[in-house]
Amino acid sequence: AQSVTQLGSHVSVSEGALVLLRCNYSSSVPPYLFWYVQYPNQGLQLLLKYTSAATLVKGINGFEAEFKKSETSFHLTKPSAHMSDAAEYFCAVSDRGWTGNQFYFGTGTSLTVIP
Amino acid sequence: DGGITQSPKYLFRKEGQNVTLSCEQNLNHDAMYWYRQDPGQGLRLIYYSQIVNDFQKGDIAEGYSVSREKKESFPLTVTSAQKNPTAFYLCASSSPPNYGYTFGSGTRLTVV
């Protein structure tokens, strides 16, 4: 079975600083990879996804992530944090076979942006 | 616009009551899911359904029930057997796996 590890349940950055949220997956076959963002009392919104095209994926709100097969990682970055980036971020992985339930979420990273 | 609608946004339940959370999608997605979210625990899968009239238990199905009579609808009932139902509940749907999940805006259930 797949698993997803998000290192750091809480990350704090200063406004304008680099945002780096870490995600590692366990799979011998490169899966589909996703990052979602959740604001308080709301559902999850897709930030970006990797589905085997370019390894550097650009998403909404200035975020991007790089798929590194050798490191089984899919870390999320943003060059300059804004106050509006404060939210919970979830990494997720999906098997390539369509079995109906193959979506695995990390436990989330709460991002705080310090003014 | 297509999407998933969850209702109500807030729900209060008395001890011993069953309550039903609604989830409707107009995305024509085959699969639908229910997740429970507690602080610091991420998302835990309750039930999922790949096709109409079929559904499977997830990791924490005890005390919950679902139905899938229509492709668009996947209601979740929280029964009195669920001893700690206070949580945020999220419904999602998907089609091919590379599309990811689309989520509803959630229902916050509180036991009073």
Side-chain angles (χ1 to χ4, degrees):
Chain A
Q2 288 272 14
S3 68
V4 180
T5 302
Q6 290 185 241
L7 290 176
S9 58
H10 298 276
V11 171
S12 295
V13 300
S14 297
E15 191 175 15
L18 171 71
V19 176
L20 171 60
L21 304 182
R22 300 178 186 274
C23 173
N24 289 87
Y25 66 92
S26 67
S27 175
S28 58
V29 177
Y32 298 132
L33 294 156
F34 306 82
W35 275 99
Y36 286 86
V37 61
Q38 184 182 32
Y39 298 101
N41 292 313
Q42 294 187 27
L44 277 68
Q45 179 185 2
L46 181 66
L47 272 178
L48 49 80
K49 62 182 179 182
Y50 167 77
T51 58
S52 80
T55 57
L56 182 62
V57 181
K58 294 187 182 298
I60 62 172
N61 301 340
F63 284 94
E64 62 182 35
E66 186 173 7
F67 170 69
K68 291 187 176 181
K69 182 180 177 181
S70 61
E71 299 177 7
T72 60
S73 69
F74 191 57
H75 302 331
L76 181 70
T77 60
K78 182 174 181 178
S80 176
H82 295 166
M83 296 299 294
S84 60
D85 294 328
E88 187 89 15
Y89 291 82
F90 291 92
C91 182
V93 61
S94 171
D95 290 331
R96 289 176 175 265
W98 176 233
T99 62
N101 175 41
Q102 73 288 355
F103 222 72
Y104 304 92
F105 287 92
T107 52
T109 297
S110 177
L111 177 65
T112 299
V113 181
I114 304 167
Chain B
D1 287 340
I4 296 182
T5 301
Q6 287 188 243
S7 62
K9 189 170 179 63
Y10 298 96
L11 186 58
F12 298 90
R13 191 194 92 169
K14 293 183 178 179
E15 296 277 357
Q17 275 186 339
N18 292 353
V19 292
T20 297
L21 284 60
S22 171
C23 178
E24 303 277 334
Q25 56 102 355
N26 60 3
L27 300 165
N28 200 33
H29 284 173
D30 295 308
M32 297 186 73
Y33 309 82
W34 275 105
Y35 287 90
R36 169 177 172 146
Q37 189 175 26
D38 296 282
Q41 294 196 43
L43 283 73
R44 292 185 289 169
L45 182 65
I46 305 173
Y47 269 98
Y48 66 100
S49 168
Q50 298 180 52
I51 57 173
V52 173
N53 293 322
D54 185 54
F55 47 83
Q56 307 296 327
K57 292 182 178 180
D59 301 320
I60 57 165
E62 184 175 352
Y64 300 96
S65 65
V66 293
S67 63
R68 186 88 185 275
E69 298 177 0
K70 299 186 300 181
K71 187 175 185 179
E72 302 78 21
S73 178
F74 192 42
L76 173 74
T77 297
V78 184
T79 74
S80 57
Q82 171 51 239
K83 298 307 179 187
N84 185 22
T86 295
F88 191 55
Y89 291 87
L90 286 163
C91 180
S93 69
S94 70
S95 196
N98 60 327
Y99 292 178
Y101 284 13
T102 299
F103 284 86
S105 57
T107 293
R108 185 166 297 282
L109 173 63
T110 304
V111 174
V112 296

